[in-house]
Amino acid sequence: MGHEQNQGAALLQMLPLLWLLPHSWAVPEAPTPMWPDDLQNHTFLHTVYCQDGSPSVGLSEAYDEDQLFFFDFSQNTRVPRLPEFADWAQEQGDAPAILFDKEFCEWMIQQIGPKLDGKIPVSRGFPIAEVFTLKPLEFGKPNTLVCFVSNLFPPMLTVNWQHHSVPVEGFGPTFVSAVDGLSFQAFSYLNFTPEPSDIFSCIVTHEIDRYTAIAYWDLLENVLCGVAFGLGVLGIIVGIVLIIYFRKPCSGD
């Protein structure tokens, strides 16, 4: 009984914050637009998060779970995840609103977080990592390795790269974005030029519990998989040709 009262008291202290919530709740609901059958629904996620960990605050924007930008609060600017999104990142008209969201989120952590500590279950997700190339593989031509991390919650992680078990320097920042269901995903990019003996590893450490996930990229393995796939396709084609050939009626002499 005492535990339930403590929960209720903690939640009641959040009631004065309701004035900060969007006033659009009081506006009559607009009629649902009728879209033609050939149009699809899309989702744009603008997610601000803060936590007692690193990074302490973050903002990600994604379109249909494909991250477009993260916000660099030290420079007060958007950073595109891919060069193709750079032109869209120039818009900074909502910077004051973003900074307000950041300050409000941090205030919530400082003032409300301690009162709810131990009263709300803490969720954990064990990160899953995989590595692939950004462009089709060609020997001797510059490419980019992508380390994709899923099942991430909370978004406290460090990503490191190794080449033949030797740490690699010079890779870019880790892009963290929210997905449906209040979980997160992350991307890390490493520019490289493929060589026949390459073996890379992406090492993801979940800072909250020190859980480590490692994903490997082996050039020889990828080449063998490609050869095996090609032989498989060739075998299917040969099989179809033989079936058609032997199904032909025999011509009489």
Side-chain angles (χ1 to χ4, degrees), residues 4 32 37 45-46 55 61 74 80 99 112 117 125 140 159 161-162 171 178 195 200 226 240:
E4 294 178 354
T32 303
D37 293 337
L45 289 178
H46 173 99
E61 293 175 318
S74 65
L99 294 180
I112 306 300
D117 188 27
V159 178
W161 289 88
Q162 291 186 353
F171 54 90
E195 299 294 341
F200 287 89
I240 294 174

Side-chain angles (χ1 to χ4, degrees), residues 163-178:
H163 181 229
H164 292 293
S165 300
V166 177
V168 176
E169 304 292 339
F171 54 90
T174 301
F175 294 83
V176 178
S177 64

Side-chain angles (χ1 to χ4, degrees), residues 6-245:
N6 291 337
Q7 283 185 310
L11 293 175
L12 283 174
Q13 296 184 33
M14 298 181 67
L15 291 180
L17 303 174
L18 292 179
W19 69 274
L20 291 170
L21 297 179
H23 295 290
S24 59
W25 286 13
V27 178
E29 183 176 356
T32 303
M34 299 299 293
W35 300 104
D37 293 337
D38 58 342
L39 294 182
Q40 298 179 350
N41 292 326
H42 299 278
T43 302
F44 179 80
L45 289 178
H46 173 99
T47 307
V48 178
Y49 62 90
C50 54
Q51 56 192 352
D52 289 326
S54 180
S56 61
V57 63
L59 163 63
S60 72
E61 293 175 318
Y63 180 75
D64 286 349
E65 299 192 6
D66 186 13
Q67 186 184 18
L68 302 176
F69 319 103
F70 83 89
F71 196 83
D72 184 349
F73 285 97
S74 65
Q75 301 293 328
N76 289 335
T77 184
R78 283 180 171 85
V79 179
R81 183 173 66 88
L82 296 175
E84 291 84 350
F85 306 149
D87 291 341
W88 299 346
Q90 303 305 314
E91 175 57 43
Q92 303 295 338
D94 58 347
I98 291 174
L99 294 180
F100 172 82
D101 291 342
K102 169 183 176 289
E103 294 172 359
F104 176 53
C105 188
E106 292 175 334
W107 183 88
M108 289 278 289
I109 288 289
Q110 297 170 1
Q111 302 297 324
I112 306 300
K115 297 179 176 62
L116 299 179
D117 188 27
K119 300 180 177 65
I120 296 178
V122 179
S123 299
R124 295 285 188 272
F126 295 106
I128 300 172
E130 57 181 305
V131 178
F132 50 88
T133 56
L134 187 62
K135 297 182 291 187
L137 183 63
E138 294 185 62
F139 284 116
K141 290 192 176 181
N143 207 322
T144 302
L145 284 176
V146 182
C147 183
F148 172 62
V149 184
S150 58
N151 197 41
L152 178 64
F153 190 88
M156 302 179 188
L157 80 161
T158 56
V159 178
N160 292 287
W161 289 88
Q162 291 186 353
H163 181 229
H164 292 293
S165 300
V166 177
V168 176
E169 304 292 339
F171 54 90
T174 301
F175 294 83
V176 178
S177 64
V179 296
D180 289 342
L182 295 180
S183 63
F184 291 81
Q185 62 186 14
F187 296 88
S188 179
Y189 298 89
L190 175 66
N191 295 324
F192 80 122
T193 300
E195 299 294 341
S197 60
D198 278 342
I199 299 178
F200 287 89
S201 56
C202 173
I203 304 172
V204 179
T205 302
H206 202 201
E207 294 296 339
I208 195 168
D209 51 20
R210 306 306 297 175
Y211 174 85
T212 300
I214 303 177
Y216 294 93
W217 186 86
D218 187 338
L219 181 56
L220 179 60
E221 178 182 345
N222 281 268
V223 171
L224 291 177
C225 286
V227 172
F229 177 78
L231 292 176
V233 173
L234 179 61
I236 293 174
I237 295 174
V238 172
I240 294 174
V241 171
L242 292 176
I243 291 174
I244 295 174
Y245 177 80

